Amino acid sequence: MATLTDQNIQAIQNKVKKTLSDSSILDGEKPLKAGGLKYEVIDSIDGTTQAIAVAPVIDGKTDYSQTAIVVAGTQLIGKEGFGEEAWNSTKNVVEARSGITPQVDDISDFYDSTAAKLEKDHGGGTISNMSGFSQSGPAVAKVAAAHQVPKITNFMDWGASNSLYSKDNPKGITAEEKTWLDKHATIYMDSTRDVTYLDGKSHGDIPYGKKYIVERRQFFIS
């Protein structure tokens, strides 16, 4: 099949949290269906960070050369309960206003876990796409650039202007990684910056990748 599009990735983003609560999809009893395509779940994480790694199924055969890691946004206190994961996720939102989100460690570990599963369980494969939403966006950008993932598709990156490397932000996006992102990342921003306006002094500015401004209703991501 053709390379996964931004629209394909957006459709998967819409299904991340629901997929994590469906053991029949996670266990491979049935495929994940998103945007008219079917996917096999390669790996998943459901903690403070919520993410799935999937590969498209075409004519009954999984294409592991197009494995996509898709990371959900923040679990907000109240909206998604009052458990430890929601508290930690909301705390990370605040910390991301002054440096890259602590989620970067989870996402880095998840990348390594997915790569290992592709090799062990499927004889290899390629992580060709990564995607983040809101708080997870800058961390996805960092990890994807570090591994030179060919295509990054993010939505409304929270705290992006605070995610660049500095002495006070040693886990941040380096100049070399920013160069990769400027060529390989597409970031979709809502025109009113409803999600990102309060993410720091830059009010939702995103200093990396190719930016496209669209109306909030076009995202349809929860």
Side-chain angles (χ1 to χ4, degrees), residues 71-82:
V71 187
T74 304
Q75 301 179 65
L76 290 174
I77 285 291
K79 181 180 179 181
E80 299 188 46
F82 295 89

Side-chain angles (χ1 to χ4, degrees), residues 14-218:
N14 278 314
K15 296 292 186 76
V16 173
K17 295 187 179 186
K18 184 177 291 186
T19 298
L20 289 170
S21 64
D22 191 334
S23 60
S24 63
I25 295 177
L26 297 178
D27 294 341
E29 297 172 14
K30 64 181 183 182
L32 165 63
K33 296 180 180 179
L37 295 178
K38 296 179 180 180
Y39 299 88
E40 176 186 341
V41 175
I42 308 301
D43 201 359
S44 64
I45 179 174
D46 188 10
T48 300
T49 296
Q50 296 176 301
I52 56 176
V54 301
V57 179
I58 307 300
D59 296 328
K61 185 176 181 180
T62 304
D63 182 2
Y64 299 108
S65 72
Q66 292 201 75
T67 299
I69 289 176
V70 183
V71 187
T74 304
Q75 301 179 65
L76 290 174
I77 285 291
K79 181 180 179 181
E80 299 188 46
F82 295 89
E84 181 180 358
E85 288 82 6
W87 280 107
N88 287 338
S89 187
T90 302
K91 175 175 173 286
N92 289 346
V93 166
V94 177
E95 293 188 24
R97 298 183 78 247
S98 58
I100 195 164
T101 171
Q103 274 193 292
V104 69
D105 293 329
D106 285 350
I107 294 169
S108 179
D109 289 344
F110 187 65
Y111 180 98
D112 291 342
S113 173
T114 299
K117 286 193 173 186
L118 283 171
E119 186 63 34
K120 179 181 178 182
D121 298 341
H122 306 292
T126 300
I127 298 172
S128 60
N129 297 70
M130 288 186 70
S131 175
F133 173 66
S134 188
Q135 181 195 168
S136 69
V140 163
K142 164 71 180 181
V143 173
H147 291 281
Q148 297 190 341
V149 172
K151 179 61 177 171
I152 302 103
T153 306
N154 281 359
F155 303 90
M156 297 181 287
D157 294 21
W158 170 274
S161 62
N162 311 310
S163 66
L164 299 182
Y165 173 85
S166 70
K167 182 175 66 175
D168 296 326
N169 190 30
K171 292 185 179 181
I173 295 167
T174 66
E176 182 179 3
E177 290 163 349
K178 181 183 180 303
T179 297
W180 181 267
L181 293 170
D182 289 342
K183 295 179 180 179
H184 297 272
T186 302
I187 319 297
Y188 291 92
M189 306 166 60
D190 58 316
S191 58
T192 57
R193 301 191 185 186
D194 291 345
V195 172
T196 59
Y197 185 79
L198 298 176
D199 71 354
K201 61 184 179 181
S202 295
H203 301 304
D205 286 347
I206 297 174
Y208 50 76
K210 298 178 286 290
K211 276 79 70 176
Y212 291 91
I213 297 176
V214 298
E215 295 303 319
R216 177 71 174 89
R217 64 179 179 272
Q218 291 179 256

